Amino acid sequence: MTVTTPPPDPARAPLTVSGAHGEPSREPDGAYLDHAATTPMSAAALAAFVAEAQRTGNPSSLHSAGRTARRAVEEARETLARSLGARPSEVIFTSGGTEADNLAIKGIFWGRRAKDPCRSRILVSAVEHHAVLDPAFWLAGHAGADIVLLPVDGDGRIDLDALRAELAAHAGETALISVMWANNEVGTVQPIRDIVRAARPYGIPVHTDAVQAVGQAEVDFTESGVDAMTVSGHKFGGPVGVGALLAKRDLALDAVLHGGGQERGVRSGTLDAASIAAFGVAARHAVECLPDRAARLSALRDDLIARVRAAAPDAVLRGADPASGDRLPGNAHFTFPGAEGDSLLYLLDSAGVQASTGSACQAGVPQPSHVLLAMGVPETEARGALRFTLGATSADSDVDRLVAALPQVVARAQAAGLVSGRAIGGMA
Ligand SMILES: Cc1ncc(COP(=O)(O)O)c(C=O)c1O
């Protein structure tokens, strides 16, 4: 038996806009510890969204209403580019991170293949988000791609020697490399500059999914040396449904969406001026606040980790050691032996704490995380995963609430795990 009681009210704590510091404020009840899933919109981004949404005008129209909308889009393009160390002409707006990842993987593969049909290999880390893995495997099923999953160590960090060996053996057949800037489950930051250094002698383009990194780590597109980078607005105080692929101008990139030819002809579709304006504001705000926020969140995360360990002594922290500097400041991820992650999630939710197992369900059946499995975590342990992620609105009171609920929640989830383990033949 697994505890699967639906939460009484899955909504997060209601948000109100304070406006004072550009941060949303929050009703005091409920601890929202799932900022890696989505973040509240900042007050400044919300104001920019509302102002622009009240106007009519297609940014591609030539009349004055269209030109006004175009101005908002181009200002946001400049702001986003400046915030992320890119040129405005390198920004391709999309509907979010998933679309930008699809454009990168499919667009670069097709672009490279068109020039050299031998380039069938796509190198991706084994811990990528499904927004990267699934288009890569789709290309394997439909377009003759060969997927190479690059291994990671026990912390989720890519094995650079394996990458170098793969390139030494197969550079001439390689279309692209895609390795995320930071992992969405365990928060491990990848050595992106080393990956670029390994790829550069062979002229192989590198894409990075920086969805989780922006607003949590310093991200500079040009300085990193990557050829393409994915970002998403709702992960750092912008709206859901807007993102961008930053792509160097000389990168061979085929279109995925065809139509009106917007965004350099590689991403057709009417631009959403309101969301894009808010996205630009959120990016500037996230980057300006980064030094203070990262310091505050690291301290809060370290406190959370210490207090979770005290409340549940058999909990195992997964991902890079926080002291290494290779972990996102807002990420804490544990496995709890003998408990199912979804049981922990629902029980915590009933206690007013929102967290995530970090991994996907398939047809309603919770799956052990491919990230943890790639890190060498045994499947039985991977099933007990729970991720806590902090952001702009996180406070000490969120951690207080978590650790107050945790001992009882873990005991109940472990008891449920024991029962279910017996029911299915001791597989707890
Ligand atoms: C690493 C990573 N990539 C891509 C995505 C997808 O982004 P979006 O929700 O904007 O489609 C997510 C969302 O969770 C993510 O964490």
Side-chain angles (χ1 to χ4, degrees), residues 36-37 95-99 101 129 131 180 182 184 209 211-212 232 234-235 242:
S95 64
T98 301
E99 189 196 326
D101 281 341
H129 191 276
M180 66 207 319
N184 49 298
D209 175 337
V211 164
Q212 293 291 338
S232 171
H234 72 111
K235 306 293 185 172
V242 64

Side-chain angles (χ1 to χ4, degrees), residues 10-13 15 24 26 31-42 129 184 211-212 214 216 232-242 330 354-356 387-394:
R12 61 192 191 197
L15 298 168
R26 193 181 51 183
Y32 182 71
L33 294 173
D34 202 12
H35 283 82
T38 197
T39 59
M41 265 174 91
S42 74
H129 191 276
N184 49 298
V211 164
Q212 293 291 338
V214 176
Q216 293 257 337
S232 171
H234 72 111
K235 306 293 185 172
F236 54 82
V240 178
V242 64
Q354 282 108 52
S356 167
R387 176 189 75 181
F388 307 109
T389 48
L390 309 170
T393 52
S394 301

Side-chain angles (χ1 to χ4, degrees), residues 221-280:
F221 177 67
T222 304
E223 194 262 324
S224 72
V226 298
D227 299 273
M229 183 168 100
T230 294
V231 296
S232 171
H234 72 111
K235 306 293 185 172
F236 54 82
V240 178
V242 64
L245 183 69
L246 309 185
K248 283 190 179 154
R249 292 301 308 221
D250 59 358
L251 179 67
L253 184 67
D254 276 16
V256 172
L257 293 184
H258 300 89
Q262 291 89 344
E263 299 299 271
R264 287 159 51 175
V266 291
R267 200 282 179 175
S268 287
T270 299
L271 290 167
D272 176 355
S275 293
I276 288 171
F279 181 33

Side-chain angles (χ1 to χ4, degrees), residues 187-212:
T188 301
V189 177
Q190 298 291 354
I192 293 298
R193 288 164 197 83
D194 292 333
I195 292 164
V196 169
R197 261 193 291 279
R200 192 162 281 156
Y202 305 103
I204 295 169
V206 177
H207 164 253
T208 187
D209 175 337
V211 164
Q212 293 291 338

